[in-house]
Amino acid sequence: FFKWVDAPICDYCMNKTFLVRTVQPLEEEKTHKASRTEVYRCTVCHNETRFPRYNDPCKLLETRKGRCGEWSNCFGLCCKAMQFDLRLVCDFADHVWNEVYLQEEQTWVHVDPCEGIVDTPLLYEKGWGKSVKKCVAVDRNTVADVSARYRTMPYSEDEEEGRALLSICCDVFTRHLRENCSDTERVTLERIDALEKLKMLDVKVDKQLPGRTTGSAQWVAE
């Protein structure tokens, strides 16, 4: 349904390309919420191919290709169509994935559509061997620091100061997003927040976790 793209094939001769620069998107690309456009050069004919980094999930249903940002945006649209509450999670290092809210269990569950993995939040630290720094989850009502779900390593003193600042920023943004919520909605959201903070402290690893499967060989190695 969706294809991972490290470098697009040449628009002219269908051969391999390599990245030469990143530019501002064209007006047409901006209409589909392209954040930037990568320009690739063909290894054979030397023509250039544009690869807009679209954020519009409807456009992504058409292109069906990209990297973690595109995968997460398109997966989010599919979840919304099935009436699931969903949010994007950004790891400030190099990755984006989703969390889906399960009403029956009253909890947010990790979902990585690129890797096809569900409810395995320590995948990145224990499977990929990444040093997870900060992870922020965002939906229409909340901006939350969810780093505790994805990291077990202790924080240094400097990192603790950074987390305190991040927590303050998340609280400010969340209050802003909830300004138009009813009192009942606000109480429900605050209850979910409090329960999540407790659940994030109980993340355990009881199985061997896989390494990264998407991305270039260099990216996976890093």
Side-chain angles (χ1 to χ4, degrees):
F1 179 77
F2 217 84
K3 181 181 179 181
W4 182 276
V5 175
D6 288 312
I9 59 173
C10 176
D11 285 339
Y12 300 92
C13 68
M14 308 299 286
N15 279 293
K16 292 182 179 180
T17 64
F18 60 93
L19 180 66
V20 290
R21 63 185 181 277
T22 300
V23 298
Q24 290 296 313
L26 300 174
E27 289 304 316
E28 181 183 358
E29 295 165 347
K30 288 180 181 178
T31 62
H32 300 294
K33 298 182 173 61
S35 57
R36 64 187 187 280
T37 296
E38 299 167 353
V39 180
Y40 290 80
R41 182 167 296 148
C42 181
T43 57
V44 177
C45 72
H46 306 299
N47 279 299
E48 292 185 343
T49 295
R50 298 176 66 88
F51 183 53
R53 301 302 305 277
Y54 293 123
N55 285 292
D56 178 359
C58 292
K59 180 65 174 178
L60 294 172
L61 283 177
E62 175 188 325
T63 64
R64 295 190 182 185
K65 63 183 180 181
R67 295 195 279 274
C68 58
E70 288 90 346
W71 281 65
S72 296
N73 275 319
C74 192
F75 178 73
L77 177 64
C78 295
C79 286
K80 285 292 186 180
M82 294 185 289
Q83 299 185 335
F84 281 101
D85 285 327
L86 176 131
R87 58 191 185 185
L88 288 174
V89 181
C90 176
D91 160 26
F92 281 80
D94 70 346
H95 196 43
V96 180
W97 58 90
N98 303 97
E99 288 182 349
V100 177
Y101 190 73
L102 301 184
Q103 291 285 353
E104 297 81 1
E105 300 180 23
Q106 295 189 325
T107 190
W108 288 99
V109 174
H110 157 257
V111 181
D112 191 318
C114 305
E115 302 287 317
I117 290 181
V118 177
D119 196 17
T120 312
L122 296 181
L123 169 70
Y124 315 108
E125 183 183 75
K126 301 300 183 182
W128 294 12
K130 285 185 58 176
S131 176
V132 177
K133 301 294 185 182
K134 301 180 184 69
C135 299
V136 175
V138 180
D139 65 14
R140 70 181 186 277
N141 293 314
T142 307
V143 178
D145 177 8
V146 293
S147 308
R149 176 175 284 124
Y150 299 96
R151 171 170 172 155
T152 61
M153 295 294 292
Y155 288 92
S156 67
E157 185 174 334
D158 288 343
E159 287 175 326
E160 286 291 359
E161 291 179 1
R163 285 191 71 203
L165 179 59
L166 177 63
S167 179
I168 292 171
C169 292
C170 288
D171 288 345
V172 170
F173 285 124
T174 297
R175 284 198 298 272
H176 175 70
L177 291 172
R178 295 179 183 179
E179 284 178 352
N180 295 322
C181 291
S182 67
D183 290 342
T184 300
E185 289 174 321
R186 196 174 295 110
V187 168
T188 299
L189 291 168
E190 289 173 354
R191 179 183 59 80
I192 291 173
D193 293 344
L195 186 58
E196 273 305 289
K197 288 180 180 178
L198 291 175
K199 290 185 176 182
M200 280 194 289
L201 299 176
D202 193 34
V203 177
K204 297 182 177 64
V205 179
D206 57 1
K207 59 183 177 181
Q208 185 72 28
L209 300 182
R212 190 169 194 163
T213 62
T214 52
S216 65
Q218 180 182 355
W219 198 355
V220 171
E222 292 175 352

